[in-house]
Amino acid sequence: MKLTNLNIVVDENIPSVDRLFGHFGSIRKLPGRTIQSIDLQDADLLLVRSVTKVNSQLIKDAPVGFVGTATIGTDHIDKSWLNEKGIGFTSAPGCNADAVAEYVISTLLMVAAEQSFELQDRVVGIVGVGNVGRRLQQRLEGLGVKLLLNDPPRAETGEQDFVALECLLEQADIICLHTPLTGDGDHPSYHLLNANNLPVIKPNSILLNAGRGPVIDNVALLNWHRQRPDVTLLLDVWEEEPTVDESLAQQVRIGTPHIAGYSLDGKIRGTWMLYTAFCQHLGVKPEIDLADCLCDAGNELQIMLDGSENLTDIVHRVYQPEADHSRFMDSLMDKKAQPKNFDLLRKQYPVRREFAAAQLQGVKPDKLLADQLQAVGFLLE
């Protein structure tokens, strides 16, 4: 592949592409969900997110020589076909893992405050302990939270203690789903939670899905929850997105449009990972650092403390899930426009920084609060 004058097609929601890819050629930005084969007739490079299905139907007649997805998951990519055709490919594993873990922590702290409990007094079950699940595990362990972990592929390696899914569902007070979406193999995750095992979930628990929508059978979830409203539902992903089952959405305490990983830091990190992989594909040395891209983004986050704050207060000064929930629920009011509104919420998503980007000023936290802040990802001087 040539090094310059490339034709580059990019999902319009991928940031920093001009900074990182502009010197390679011309960039055409399109809505990811509507990218078609006709858009790629002269494309050398294709950069997408999870809403674009990349397969033979999309690019069989295009000159695309390299595909990158600025996401952790790759279930939207036919990697076997790309490999067969000699088309280079990369994803961005871990790029937004911190953002998703922080979304989960922010949301759980909100519910804990509403329901008058402490996270340290609950058992949290994590289903899928990969990039995101591990980050969440580390943060919750730092807070002293008792955990149950379920990850069959990793359990086979014997690297640490894992429990069976049914055991986790029976015992966990809070269930967090972070498994990738797979439909085959030894451990498929499609409809991992379904009509057969949802009833196993203990009373008054919390069920959060910030992985992939089809990991839960949404029809079964709705039918079950109508009988079990004691369980608090927190859903960032939906089985038929961008179409959302309004009846199910009305059952959730927090509903959001697949934005758990939508921090500015995570998105820029994903683009930078594609850039470094593409440079390697071309055999050239990357010349742009991630830190430079983050600095270019601006949007500094300064938080002034007066000494009265607790962990929840400070976390919610960085990210408040209630605001995303409110916008999401408003987007459901026009049923015909709902799928379009779902994508619009993602396209117009407000700038959200990660905890590590926050500059804490004013009264220094005491040791207990400082330890908690560091555990969840804040950087303290």
Side-chain angles (χ1 to χ4, degrees):
M1 180 181 285
K2 57 186 179 180
L3 301 183
T4 58
N5 298 319
L6 301 177
N7 291 315
I8 306 169
V9 174
V10 181
D11 182 313
E12 63 184 1
N13 287 334
I14 298 179
S16 298
V17 289
D18 296 299
R19 174 82 164 89
L20 291 165
F21 288 91
H23 58 287
F24 289 119
S26 61
I27 295 174
R28 184 183 180 197
K29 300 177 183 180
L30 298 171
R33 208 178 296 278
T34 63
I35 292 176
Q36 304 176 45
S37 58
I38 193 172
D39 299 317
L40 306 177
Q41 293 308 298
D42 60 353
D44 301 296
L45 172 62
L46 173 63
L47 304 179
V48 301
R49 291 188 60 82
S50 60
V51 298
T52 305
K53 303 294 184 183
V54 180
N55 49 33
S56 60
Q57 183 178 355
L58 181 67
I59 61 176
K60 65 179 179 180
D61 297 322
V64 173
F66 191 89
V67 173
T69 179
T71 59
I72 294 175
T74 60
D75 50 277
H76 56 296
I77 308 289
D78 189 341
K79 294 187 291 183
S80 296
W81 186 86
L82 293 179
N83 184 61
E84 178 184 327
K85 296 301 180 182
I87 298 173
F89 171 73
T90 191
S91 59
C95 67
N96 63 354
D98 287 329
V100 178
E102 293 174 9
Y103 169 96
V104 173
I105 288 169
S106 300
T107 304
L108 294 183
L109 286 173
M110 185 205 75
V111 175
E114 289 182 348
Q115 298 183 4
S116 300
F117 68 82
E118 300 291 334
L119 283 182
Q120 292 84 349
D121 298 329
R122 295 293 187 268
V123 176
V124 176
I126 302 176
V127 180
V129 195
N131 282 306
V132 173
R134 276 196 296 264
R135 308 290 175 91
L136 181 61
Q137 175 190 355
Q138 292 165 357
R139 284 159 170 73
L140 292 177
E141 284 179 341
L143 292 176
V145 177
K146 181 179 179 181
L147 301 177
L148 293 173
L149 307 177
N150 170 262
D151 193 314
R154 289 187 63 197
E156 292 175 349
T157 69
E159 58 183 289
Q160 67 181 83
D161 293 331
F162 292 95
V163 301
L165 179 62
E166 186 161 325
C167 175
L168 184 149
L169 297 180
E170 289 176 341
Q171 298 182 23
D173 301 299
I174 301 170
I175 301 162
C176 299
L177 302 179
H178 299 291
T179 176
L181 179 61
T182 56
D184 51 22
D186 294 333
H187 307 289
S189 64
Y190 177 77
H191 284 185
L192 186 65
L193 296 194
N194 51 64
N196 294 324
N197 57 18
L198 283 168
V200 174
I201 293 176
K202 65 187 298 186
N204 302 308
S205 57
I206 296 167
L207 175 60
L208 181 150
N209 188 8
R212 288 291 186 265
V215 168
I216 306 179
D217 180 339
N218 280 198
V219 173
L221 178 63
L222 175 60
N223 292 334
W224 168 75
H225 194 260
R226 283 171 169 163
Q227 306 302 316
R228 289 287 308 278
D230 58 285
V231 174
T232 302
L233 298 183
L234 312 169
L235 299 181
D236 178 56
V237 289
W238 311 82
E239 185 164 7
E240 302 295 337
E241 61 184 58
T243 300
V244 173
D245 185 330
E246 184 182 1
S247 297
L248 177 59
Q250 296 297 335
Q251 300 284 320
V252 307
R253 173 58 190 91
I254 288 292
T256 48
H258 201 155
I259 48 75
Y262 254 42
S263 71
L264 178 62
D265 310 66
K267 289 192 284 187
I268 291 177
R269 190 179 298 115
T271 312
W272 182 80
M273 291 172 71
L274 300 189
Y275 160 73
T276 57
F278 185 59
C279 286
Q280 183 177 13
H281 177 76
L282 295 178
V284 300
K285 182 180 180 180
E287 297 182 352
I288 304 174
D289 294 330
L290 174 60
D292 294 334
C293 296
L294 291 173
C295 287
D296 290 347
N299 296 292
E300 292 185 355
L301 178 60
Q302 297 181 347
I303 298 176
M304 185 63 65
L305 304 180
D306 62 17
S308 66
E309 299 87 358
N310 60 23
L311 176 63
T312 301
D313 296 330
I314 299 173
V315 162
H316 288 166
R317 295 273 289 276
V318 180
Y319 174 62
Q320 173 51 264
E322 187 70 63
D324 279 338
H325 172 70
S326 179
R327 286 188 290 267
F328 175 73
M329 296 306 292
D330 287 344
S331 76
L332 302 176
M333 296 179 67
D334 186 340
K335 294 183 179 180
K336 290 184 178 180
Q338 181 273 308
K340 180 180 178 181
N341 289 340
F342 187 96
D343 284 341
L344 198 60
L345 286 173
R346 290 160 58 85
K347 179 180 179 179
Q348 299 178 346
Y349 192 66
V351 171
R352 175 176 129 215
R353 299 304 304 270
E354 294 176 1
F355 296 163
Q359 300 175 12
L360 302 184
Q361 301 176 346
V363 178
K364 289 187 176 181
D366 61 29
K367 185 178 186 308
L368 174 60
L369 179 55
D371 288 345
Q372 292 176 330
L373 290 167
Q374 289 179 312
V376 300
F378 285 85
L379 299 180
L380 304 184
E381 296 181 357

